[in-house]
Amino acid sequence: MAAQSLRDTIKEKITTALKENLKMDEREFNNPWSTQDKASVLQESRCFSDAPIDSLKCQNLLTRIIYLIQQGEKFTAQELTNLFFGVTKLFQAQCTRLRRMVYLVIKELEPSDQEVFICMSCLIKDMNSKNDCFRANSIRVLSRVLDPAMAAQIDRYLKTAIVDKNPFVASSALVCGMTLHATVPDVVKRWVNEIQETVNSKHSMVQFHALALLYELKKGDRLALHKVVTSMARNSLKSPMAECLLIRYATQTLMSERDASVEKTLMSYLDSCLRHKSEMVTYEAA
């Protein structure tokens, strides 16, 4: 009887808890940003010119600007220009959180070539900063807003960043290379040696991005691409994500290549991936 009573009590408590959860789910969600409007944001953007800069207030306002843009709010060209010039004044502040928001907003505002020229010096300065967060994020922003004609000017900075000890900086530079490859492929092709060195990185994300960029550079040359894929297949990669990428490249190569030695190497590689310790790699190979 005691056991039955205990079971009934537990069952009742579970039922009550489930009902409470259902009531919570049925409550209407109140969006804390639903009252935001463009006029108030534009008016409050004057705080970007305050001295000293109120970092917390500016962070909040930048978040509201991103929210409005993401919701499809339309800004006129003049409004976007005014916001951009206001945001660039925040480079004076050294607050890391504020600087990260500045980077995000600059990407969202999509400044014109003339406007980008104004913030280029700040971004290049951050790219050479001792703060790795500033370095990595400034590189990511540059890849989105950089005028292709100016890519050659920062070429040496990006080559150095690719082999940086910090994986965040190295990955950012590699992603930057993927973006720039669409507009200035000749500049990115100069980084082949650095990219090949980074393919052997001990950091998973760096190795993944390096392999992806190396493929982009080589995919126009069939023989060079096959050489890269077969050489990678002979060496075990440390990154499961890079392994999955290499499996896809190996499969594409097998579809187009009829060389017996290449086919044997890649089939042996795919077979070994079926016994890989990472389930992600095993699933990709299957």
Side-chain angles (χ1 to χ4, degrees), residues 233-264:
R234 291 190 184 100
N235 302 314
S236 60
L237 299 174
K238 296 178 181 178
S239 167
M241 292 180 292
E243 286 282 17
C244 289
L245 204 56
L246 184 58
I247 289 169
R248 295 182 186 184
Y249 298 156
T251 305
Q252 291 173 13
T253 302
L254 285 170
M255 297 279 189
S256 59
E257 184 61 48
R258 290 294 175 264
D259 187 300
S261 61
V262 172
E263 187 173 338
K264 181 180 179 181

Side-chain angles (χ1 to χ4, degrees), residues 38-229:
K38 184 175 75 171
S40 64
V41 165
L42 292 173
Q43 187 175 4
E44 290 179 42
S45 65
R46 296 171 186 170
C47 72
F48 296 153
S49 302
D50 291 349
I53 294 171
D54 186 335
S55 297
L56 193 59
K57 183 178 180 181
C58 291
Q59 285 176 52
N60 182 48
L61 185 56
L62 292 174
T63 305
R64 290 161 62 191
I65 291 171
I66 292 176
Y67 172 79
L68 289 174
I69 293 174
Q70 293 293 334
Q71 292 301 306
E73 185 72 48
K74 299 297 181 183
F75 290 83
T76 65
Q78 187 58 48
E79 288 169 346
L80 289 173
T81 299
N82 292 340
L83 279 175
F84 174 77
F85 283 115
V87 170
T88 55
K89 294 177 182 178
L90 300 179
F91 276 106
Q92 301 172 60
Q94 293 302 309
C95 175
T96 303
R97 288 187 177 181
L98 177 59
R99 187 67 61 87
R100 290 174 70 181
M101 290 302 300
V102 168
Y103 294 135
L104 286 173
V105 172
I106 288 176
K107 286 197 293 185
E108 292 295 333
L109 292 177
E110 298 182 348
S112 64
D113 294 342
Q114 293 79 10
E115 293 169 346
V116 167
F117 186 77
I118 293 169
C119 71
M120 274 294 292
S121 59
C122 294
L123 291 172
I124 291 175
K125 182 180 177 181
D126 280 357
M127 196 162 58
N128 294 294
S129 167
K130 293 181 180 179
N131 186 319
D132 289 332
C133 181
F134 287 2
R135 292 173 63 205
N137 283 306
S138 61
I139 290 171
R140 291 163 72 94
V141 174
L142 276 169
S143 69
R144 289 281 299 273
V145 304
L146 182 67
D147 180 358
M150 300 179 70
Q153 297 179 23
I154 62 169
D155 174 56
R156 62 189 181 92
Y157 299 121
L158 293 173
K159 285 176 72 173
T160 304
I162 286 174
V163 292
D164 195 89
K165 292 179 181 179
N166 186 298
F168 185 23
V169 175
S171 267
S172 297
L174 291 165
V175 172
C176 177
M178 292 180 205
T179 307
L180 292 178
H181 185 260
T183 52
V184 281
D186 291 339
V187 173
V188 182
K189 285 176 182 177
R190 299 175 196 163
W191 311 344
V192 171
N193 291 336
E194 287 77 13
I195 296 167
Q196 288 178 330
E197 180 182 340
T198 318
V199 168
N200 299 316
S201 171
K202 63 181 180 180
H203 301 286
S204 298
M205 191 58 70
V206 175
Q207 195 173 56
F208 170 74
H209 286 140
L211 181 59
L213 181 53
L214 190 61
Y215 173 80
E216 287 297 319
L217 294 177
K218 301 289 186 180
K219 68 179 182 181
D221 185 340
R222 186 177 64 86
L223 292 176
L225 178 60
H226 292 174
K227 184 179 178 181
V228 168
V229 173

